[in-house]
Amino acid sequence: MTIEPLLQEIERIYQAGRNGQEYDFQTEVVPFVAKADTLIADWQQNAQNSPYLRPAMVESAVDQLKQLSVQAFQPKTSLKRFNETIKSVRYIDQLMQ
């Protein structure tokens, strides 16, 4: 299982926000974060069974994913930091494959 579809959705939301899209907290942010938490939990279960990942790497990626799922709705988040976090999670996700 890969987390790439979630990462792509997070990037899409973030870019739309930087382009002026505004999000309603109750109708858009809360449901997305709930869906992301479910996907992240599933990914975490699979990642913990990977012989290529240490538990600390998995925990770090899970924390970063949870942060990204919220930060995506905050367009004032630093673009460089946002992109570096995405790269970090992608790297760990690719190690799992």
Side-chain angles (χ1 to χ4, degrees):
M1 174 189 180
T2 182
I3 202 71
E4 185 61 30
L6 178 61
L7 290 174
Q8 289 174 359
E9 182 69 9
I10 287 170
E11 286 178 313
R12 185 195 64 72
I13 290 168
Y14 181 70
Q15 285 303 323
R18 288 184 65 89
N19 292 330
Q21 170 79 32
E22 293 187 15
Y23 299 100
D24 181 70
F25 184 76
Q26 289 299 322
T27 61
E28 294 175 297
V29 178
V30 172
F32 179 79
V33 171
K35 180 181 95 170
D37 283 345
T38 302
L39 293 172
I40 293 166
D42 292 344
W43 181 84
Q44 182 178 15
Q45 285 288 9
N46 288 335
Q48 288 173 338
N49 296 328
S50 173
Y52 306 111
L53 299 176
R54 294 188 319 272
M57 294 170 78
V58 174
E59 287 301 316
S60 175
V62 166
D63 289 344
Q64 290 173 332
L65 280 165
K66 288 180 179 184
Q67 289 175 2
L68 285 169
S69 66
V70 174
Q71 288 176 350
F73 293 95
Q74 300 169 353
K76 291 187 177 21
T77 299
S78 163
L79 178 61
K80 181 176 176 18
R81 183 171 183 212
F82 185 82
N83 286 334
E84 291 301 317
T85 305
I86 291 272
K87 283 184 199 175
S88 174
V89 173
R90 274 200 176 112
Y91 175 75
I92 293 170
D93 188 44
Q94 289 171 355
L95 285 177
M96 196 175 95
Q97 303 305 318

